[in-house]
Amino acid sequence: MITLGIDTSFHYLTLVLFDEDHVLASIQKEAFKKQSELVLVEIEQLFLSCGLKPNTLEAIVVTDGPGSYTGLRIGLTIAKVLGSLANVKVYTLSSLQVLAGLEEDIHVLLDARAKRVYYAHYRKGNVNGEERILPIETLSNQIRVTDQVIGDGALINRETNYPDYTKHFIQLRDKWMPVKDIDTLIPRYLKANEDYHP
C-alpha cells in the first residue's frame, strides 16, 4: 500500500512516502513559516524520485496535533484535499507519538509558546499517562537528568534533538486512527493543565 506520511505540527516539514514496510523517499527539513509554500512541491518531488505517479497513492497518515495552530492546519488541509480528490484512506497519528516512535522510554517536548510545552512520556509507542500542555517550569522539575528527551529539549536546558523520525510512521502502523468522515478532520489541541494560570 503506497502511503504518504505528513507532519507539519512544528517548524519542521516532514514527508515520507512508503510501501508496506519500506521508506521509498522522505524529506525532513526546517521550514519555519514556509511549510505552506513547500509542501506540495516536496510531495511532488517525493513521487518523482520514486518513479511513481500520484494516482498510485492509497493512504495518507497525518499528524493531527498537538502543535502549531497554523502548521497543523497545513498538514490536515493537504490530507483532506488529497483524501477527497484521490479517494484514499486517511489516518491520523499524534505529533508527539510519531517523534517518540518505539523508543524504550522517552520524554517528548514541543514548544507551545507562552512559556509552555506540549509534553508526553512514551514507552515503546504507548503514552505513559497522557499528552499534556504544561508550564516549562513545572516540566523542568519532573524530568531527571538521566531521562531521554526528544524535541525542544532546550526549553528545559537539555539538547534540542530532532533525529530522522520518518520511519516511525511505519513502525507505529497499529496506532493509526482511521478518519471515517474526512469533513470532520480537525487539529487536536490540548487543554492547559490546571497548574497553568495565564
Side-chain angles (χ1 to χ4, degrees):
M1 182 168 68
I2 302 299
T3 304
L4 174 66
I6 304 172
D7 180 26
T8 56
S9 60
F10 58 111
H11 54 274
Y12 272 78
L13 170 62
T14 300
L15 302 167
V16 55
L17 196 62
F18 54 94
D19 59 14
E20 291 298 327
D21 299 305
H22 302 93
V23 172
L24 302 174
S26 65
I27 78 134
Q28 182 179 317
K29 63 184 345 179
E30 285 203 48
F32 183 61
K33 293 187 177 180
K34 291 184 178 179
Q35 291 169 327
S36 60
E37 300 170 29
L38 298 173
V39 64
L40 290 175
V41 174
E42 294 291 355
I43 289 173
E44 183 179 18
Q45 285 301 313
L46 284 185
F47 280 95
L48 286 172
S49 69
C50 298
L52 294 173
K53 294 183 178 180
N55 62 9
T56 59
L57 185 65
E58 298 171 84
I60 297 167
V61 56
V62 59
T63 54
D64 65 347
S68 156
Y69 177 82
T70 302
L72 288 172
R73 291 176 69 85
I74 291 167
L76 292 173
T77 298
I78 296 296
K80 287 174 81 167
V81 170
L82 292 178
S84 298
L85 295 179
N87 194 28
V88 300
K89 297 176 183 176
V90 177
Y91 302 85
T92 60
L93 192 60
S94 160
S95 52
L96 300 181
Q97 190 173 33
V98 78
L99 279 170
L102 295 177
E103 287 289 337
E104 195 79 26
D105 191 331
I106 196 162
H107 297 263
V108 189
L109 286 67
L110 284 180
D111 190 353
R113 305 202 180 262
K115 297 182 180 180
R116 297 174 300 167
V117 62
Y118 297 116
Y119 165 76
H121 178 199
Y122 273 92
R123 289 185 173 137
K124 296 182 179 178
N126 298 304
V127 68
N128 182 34
E130 61 183 359
E131 295 182 340
R132 295 177 284 168
I133 184 169
L134 295 169
I136 292 172
E137 185 178 354
T138 298
L139 186 61
S140 297
N141 297 329
Q142 291 181 2
I143 295 183
R144 299 168 299 182
V145 175
T146 54
D147 289 335
Q148 187 178 358
V149 173
I150 193 169
D152 293 321
L155 296 172
I156 58 167
N157 298 314
R158 298 284 292 273
E159 182 182 352
T160 292
N161 179 22
Y162 286 109
D164 181 357
Y165 62 93
T166 52
K167 64 183 179 296
H168 295 174
F169 283 91
I170 300 173
Q171 295 173 349
L172 295 168
R173 187 186 303 275
D174 65 335
K175 308 297 183 186
W176 296 0
M177 298 297 294
V179 177
K180 295 178 181 177
D181 181 356
I182 198 71
D183 293 326
T184 65
L185 184 58
I186 58 172
R188 184 174 55 85
Y189 300 110
L190 300 179
K191 294 181 179 178
N193 183 273
E194 61 185 8
D195 295 333
Y196 177 69
H197 303 286

